[in-house]
Amino acid sequence: KMQQIINSIKTSGYDADRFTLSISLPISLSIREHSLWLYYEKEGKEILEGKLKKEDIVPLKQIWKYIYPHNVTSEVGLIHESGDTADFFVELVIQWEKDEIEMQVMERLCPKEYKERAKKTNVYNMGVYSRQGVDNSLGSVSHTKFMEEFSVPPPVPDTPFQLDFRMSRSSIWLGGRYCKYTRELPQTPWLIKGVRKCFSSVEELIGDKVKEFLDCEQVKFLASGREDVDVRMLGSGRPFAFECVNSKKTKLSQSDFEDLTKLINDHHKAVQVNSLALVSKSSIKRLKQGEEEKRKQYTALCITKDPYELENIKKLEEFKDLVLKQETPIRVLHRRANAIRDKIVHSMTVTQLNSTLFKLGVISSAGTYIKELVHGDFERTKPNLCSILGVDTDILALDVTEV
Amino acid sequence: SDLSSIKANKGPIEDSIDLTEKYQSVTERYYTPYYKIDEDRTRKNDLCLQLHSNRISLVTLAPSHPILTKNLQIKEVDCQVTKSLDRKKNKAVGKGKKGGQNLDPTSILCHLETEDARYAVEAIAPSKLICMNKLVLDNPSLIRNRPDAEGHIAILLPYLGQIEECKASLLSKEAYDKIISEER
C-alpha cells in the first residue's frame, strides 16, 4: 500500500521539490497510551518511582516522524521538510474500524463532559473526540476509575488498520491587470435569488482559464475595486488577483506567463489581461488599499437638455480639488447605509462633440460615484454638473481610464 | 444570448454606444411607475410609486394630480402626521435601515398644504421609511416643477415579501394612461 501511495505522489502532477509528510493516527491511541502507562507504573513501581513521568515518554507519532519520512524521500524524489516551510503536504491517515467504539469509554469516564459535547452538534460537527480533548479529559480521571472501564494493559487490536492518504498544497496567488471592452459583462457573477442575470463575468472568463492552466481545485477572485456592468475598463487595466487553491502547477517560467496570457486573451476579446505574475499574500493587502486610497480616472459621455455654450462648459476645467458631498446614490441605497460622504474631484477636462454632447475627463478620489456627479441623483450629490452648468445634464456612457 | 453576442469595443466613448437610441431620463432609465388613483374623482389626489430596479421606491405625485394639472402653489409640506409622529424625525440606520418608520399603504407621509385644499400623501407600499426628501421640505415648488425627479416626496424600502402583492394592487402606466385619457 505504501508503494501505491508513493507512486501516486510521483504521478500526481504537483510540481513541488519539497514536501512534508505527516501521519494521522486513530484517537483511541491516546486511551491505549494512558492504559499502557498505568501498566508500567504498576509493574515497574520500584524502578520508575520519582524518575519517570508520563510526559517523559516520547509519543509514538513523534518517533514515526523522526524515522519514517526519510525512508520515503529517496523513493518519492522530493526533499522532506518538517513544519511549515514546505508548501506540499502529504498526510497519511491510519483508520481503525473499532476506533469509535473504543472511544465510547470516554462517555463512561467523563460522562458530563461528553454528553454535553454530543448535544453541541455545530461546535463538534467533526466528532466529539479529539486527541487533545481526550488527553485533557484523561488527566482528570482517577487510576481506579480508569481501570474499572478499560483493561490495563490495553487489549491487542483484533481487526487490521486501513491506510489512506491526502495530498494538498498551500495556495499561491496570481496577479495581473484586466481590461473590459464591453458594456454587457459584470465583473463578478450576477445572480438574483440564485438565478443568473448574465451568463458569465470577468471573474469567470479569466478564472476558468487560470484554473485550467494551473490545474487547481478552486480559484478565488480579488480585485482592486470594481466597475458596473455598463462601464468599460480601459487603459492599463484594473489590478486583480486569484488565490489558487491546491494547484498542481506552481512554478511558472516567462513563457508560461506568456502562454497563460494568450490562453486568457484568446478566450474572449472583450476581457484582456496583462502583467501576470505570481504575487505574495502580503501584496494582496496593497490591492485592497489601492481600492480605497488611489485616485481614479474616467471619461464620461455627457448630454445636456438644451444646447450649451462651450465657454460655460470649459469653466469645469478651472476646478481644482472640488469637494463633493455625495448622499448614498439611490441605485445602491438598497445595500448601503444612507449617509453623506465627502469625495474629491481633483480635475476635469472637456471636449465638445456637438451642441448638446461633450466628453468629460475626470480625476477623482476613490469611491466617487461619477454618474451621480453628472446628473446629481435628484440633488443628493452636491455640487453636480447640472448645478454647476445651470443646465440639465445627464450621462450616456462611462469608461474607467486608469486605476 | 451567449458569449458570442458580446463584442469587444475599444473605440472612443462616443462610438461605444448607440447614439440613435431615444434618450431616457434618469427616472425613465431606472424606475418603473405604479399608480394609485384617488377614489374621489373630484379631489383626484392621485399618487405614483416610482419603483427602482433595486426595489427602493420614490413616492411622487401622479401627472393627473391637481397640484400639477392646475399648477397649484404648495404653501407647506407638513410632516407632523399626528401629535407624536413627525416624519422628519425618521432615522434609518445602517444597511438594513434599522429604525426606519414602519409604513402601511395608507400610512400618511405628510400633508401638502395648498390655497384651497390639504392633500394627504400616502405611503402606497408596505415599507420602511428611509427618508423624507429634505429638498421639498425647504422648497415645496420642486414637487410641482420636478415631480418625478428632484420633487419626489419620500424614499421608501418596500418589504420584500409584500412587494409583488403591492404591485398587483396598483395601476401600470398603460392602465393609468387609459383611465386618465378616458376621463378627459
Side-chain angles (χ1 to χ4, degrees):
Chain A
K1 178 77 195 213
M2 258 328 281
Q3 199 53 50
Q4 267 182 355
I5 294 178
I6 291 170
N7 286 337
S8 300
I9 298 174
K10 291 209 279 211
T11 58
S12 66
Y14 284 99
D15 64 350
D17 36 35
R18 266 176 269 260
F19 78 118
T20 297
L21 187 69
S22 63
I23 192 164
S24 166
L25 297 164
I27 302 173
S28 54
L29 183 65
S30 291
I31 303 182
R32 287 161 163 276
E33 282 180 342
H34 190 81
S35 161
L36 206 57
W37 170 250
L38 291 187
Y39 181 69
Y40 290 143
E41 258 194 347
K42 201 168 64 170
E43 300 299 311
K45 199 166 179 171
E46 306 85 52
I47 311 169
L48 296 177
E49 192 145 25
K51 294 203 192 120
L52 200 66
K53 295 195 290 292
K54 188 185 179 195
E55 302 81 69
D56 296 328
I57 307 269
V58 182
L60 182 64
K61 195 170 177 181
Q62 203 63 44
I63 300 185
W64 179 90
K65 270 194 202 172
Y66 292 149
I67 300 171
Y68 197 75
H70 299 284
N71 293 353
V72 176
T73 326
S74 52
E75 299 206 43
V76 172
L78 300 173
I79 302 169
H80 184 261
E81 279 178 10
S82 58
D84 299 326
T85 47
D87 67 331
F88 177 43
F89 305 97
V90 178
E91 188 189 359
L92 300 179
V93 182
I94 305 246
Q95 284 164 324
W96 186 41
E97 58 186 23
K98 295 247 178 97
D99 193 26
E100 191 74 30
I101 299 171
E102 271 204 2
M103 295 308 298
Q104 283 168 6
V105 75
M106 293 310 298
E107 274 176 35
R108 298 193 294 277
L109 291 174
C110 310
K112 226 175 61 172
E113 214 173 311
Y114 285 89
K115 286 229 168 72
E116 266 189 36
R117 286 185 192 184
K119 283 188 208 156
K120 293 184 184 166
T121 40
N122 52 327
V123 177
Y124 295 99
N125 58 348
M126 297 287 277
V128 172
Y129 306 114
S130 71
R131 208 167 326 280
Q132 188 85 329
V134 170
D135 283 338
N136 287 342
S137 305
L138 287 176
S140 60
V141 175
S142 71
H143 293 340
T144 31
K145 179 106 212 262
F146 186 85
M147 287 194 264
E148 273 169 36
E149 300 288 350
F150 198 84
S151 66
V152 174
V156 178
D158 52 1
T159 55
F161 294 127
Q162 305 298 322
L163 175 62
D164 202 355
F165 78 113
R166 285 192 275 261
M167 294 185 288
S168 63
R169 202 72 183 271
S170 318
S171 293
I172 57 163
W173 276 266
L174 180 77
R177 281 178 178 260
Y178 77 82
C179 289
K180 180 166 84 96
Y181 297 115
T182 170
R183 301 192 183 285
E184 293 173 68
L185 200 66
Q187 190 203 56
T188 54
W190 189 3
L191 299 139
I192 293 189
K193 292 183 200 168
V195 178
R196 261 191 186 278
K197 276 223 91 180
C198 183
F199 48 83
S200 191
S201 58
V202 171
E203 173 183 337
E204 289 161 291
L205 286 177
I206 303 176
D208 288 349
K209 291 300 166 188
V210 171
K211 191 164 169 221
E212 186 188 305
F213 193 83
L214 297 180
D215 193 1
C216 51
E217 199 178 293
Q218 196 194 6
V219 285
K220 296 181 190 170
F221 181 70
L222 294 144
S224 186
R226 61 170 177 256
E227 65 284 330
D228 291 339
V229 176
D230 58 352
V231 174
R232 291 188 302 178
M233 181 65 237
L234 308 176
S236 48
R238 186 183 296 279
F240 70 90
F242 278 98
E243 180 186 346
C244 308
V245 178
N246 209 8
S247 71
K248 298 268 168 67
K249 192 173 170 62
T250 60
K251 293 198 249 293
L252 287 107
S253 65
Q254 187 57 34
S255 71
D256 280 326
F257 282 116
E258 285 168 17
D259 291 341
L260 177 55
T261 303
K262 186 168 193 303
L263 183 68
I264 298 169
N265 290 345
D266 284 348
H267 189 42
H268 200 290
K269 290 293 167 211
V271 176
Q272 300 287 290
V273 298
N274 66 79
S275 312
L276 291 183
L278 286 181
V279 295
S280 64
K281 191 171 178 185
S282 49
S283 355
I284 303 301
K285 248 203 287 184
R286 285 194 312 159
L287 198 79
K288 285 298 171 184
Q289 274 174 339
E291 182 176 344
E292 279 143 43
E293 293 165 1
K294 282 168 79 176
R295 298 186 178 193
K296 312 289 155 98
Q297 205 168 310
Y298 305 87
T299 304
L301 185 61
C302 302
I303 190 168
T304 54
K305 188 165 181 206
D306 303 308
Y308 61 83
E309 301 231 351
L310 185 57
E311 249 173 52
N312 195 20
I313 306 278
K314 279 289 184 187
K315 288 207 187 112
L316 292 173
E317 294 183 341
E318 289 165 19
F319 286 99
K320 284 277 165 287
D321 300 333
L322 172 68
V323 178
L324 298 179
K325 293 220 177 284
Q326 292 203 292
E327 218 172 323
T328 307
I330 297 177
R331 64 185 168 94
V332 299
L333 192 52
H334 62 296
R335 58 178 170 81
R336 291 199 79 180
N338 189 21
I340 304 181
R341 296 175 186 89
D342 279 5
K343 297 292 168 191
I344 303 179
V345 174
H346 295 289
S347 62
M348 291 184 274
T349 56
V350 165
T351 311
Q352 178 167 45
L353 293 172
N354 64 38
S355 60
T356 55
L357 214 59
F358 66 94
K359 261 200 295 209
L360 178 77
V362 179
I363 300 180
S364 71
S365 59
T368 308
Y369 287 94
I370 303 298
K371 293 175 182 173
E372 281 71 15
L373 161 66
V374 178
H375 62 61
D377 191 34
F378 308 152
E379 285 187 43
R380 289 168 64 87
T381 288
K382 286 196 281 252
N384 54 72
L385 291 201
C386 304
S387 65
I388 297 174
L389 300 176
V391 61
D392 275 1
T393 313
D394 202 348
I395 181 169
L396 294 180
L398 181 64
D399 291 335
V400 186
T401 49
E402 272 318 321
V403 170
Chain B
S1 60
D2 62 358
L3 279 176
S4 56
S5 64
I6 292 184
K7 299 278 176 274
N9 187 327
K10 296 189 190 180
I13 196 168
E14 60 270 29
D15 296 339
S16 70
I17 57 160
D18 182 358
L19 287 171
T20 62
E21 255 183 48
K22 181 174 184 282
Y23 169 74
Q24 282 191 307
S25 67
V26 171
T27 307
E28 289 167 325
R29 280 207 298 280
Y30 294 116
Y31 301 85
T32 307
Y34 291 92
Y35 300 88
K36 181 174 184 179
I37 59 171
D38 197 346
E39 275 168 11
D40 180 346
R41 294 323 288 154
T42 40
R43 188 175 55 184
K44 286 197 185 174
N45 185 17
D46 300 340
L47 302 173
C48 174
L49 188 76
Q50 293 279 2
L51 184 68
H52 193 286
S53 47
N54 65 18
R55 214 175 85 232
I56 297 269
S57 301
L58 309 175
V59 174
T60 73
L61 298 184
S64 49
H65 198 286
I67 289 178
L68 300 179
T69 57
K70 294 188 194 155
N71 210 20
L72 300 178
Q73 200 193 16
I74 303 171
K75 298 210 298 221
E76 195 199 347
V77 178
D78 185 6
C79 294
Q80 189 81 44
V81 182
T82 65
K83 227 193 284 197
S84 53
L85 187 57
D86 181 357
R87 297 283 182 209
K88 279 204 308 290
K89 297 219 170 92
N90 182 68
K91 285 229 178 319
V93 178
K95 270 189 237 187
K97 321 298 181 291
K98 225 172 165 179
Q101 289 164 10
N102 177 48
L103 302 167
D104 289 330
T106 51
S107 300
I108 297 182
L109 290 169
C110 62
H111 286 98
L112 302 179
E113 193 82 55
T114 67
E115 186 76 50
D116 300 318
R118 196 172 146 82
Y119 296 100
V121 179
E122 292 182 340
I124 308 177
S127 54
K128 226 183 243 197
L129 178 63
I130 296 181
C131 59
M132 299 299 293
N133 185 2
K134 282 183 296 314
L135 281 180
V136 307
L137 301 184
D138 297 331
N139 186 4
S141 62
L142 277 173
I143 298 177
R144 186 186 58 192
N145 300 334
R146 316 275 285 190
D148 62 353
E150 284 79 3
H152 65 275
I153 294 162
I155 304 181
L156 330 159
L157 180 58
Y159 296 117
L160 183 57
Q162 298 176 55
I163 187 63
E164 288 307 316
E165 199 186 314
C166 173
K167 276 156 68 173
S169 71
L170 301 169
L171 296 169
S172 68
K173 187 166 195 312
E174 218 184 298
Y176 167 79
D177 286 344
K178 191 159 186 285
I179 294 177
I180 297 304
S181 65
E182 277 166 13
E183 272 186 353
R184 288 206 199 102

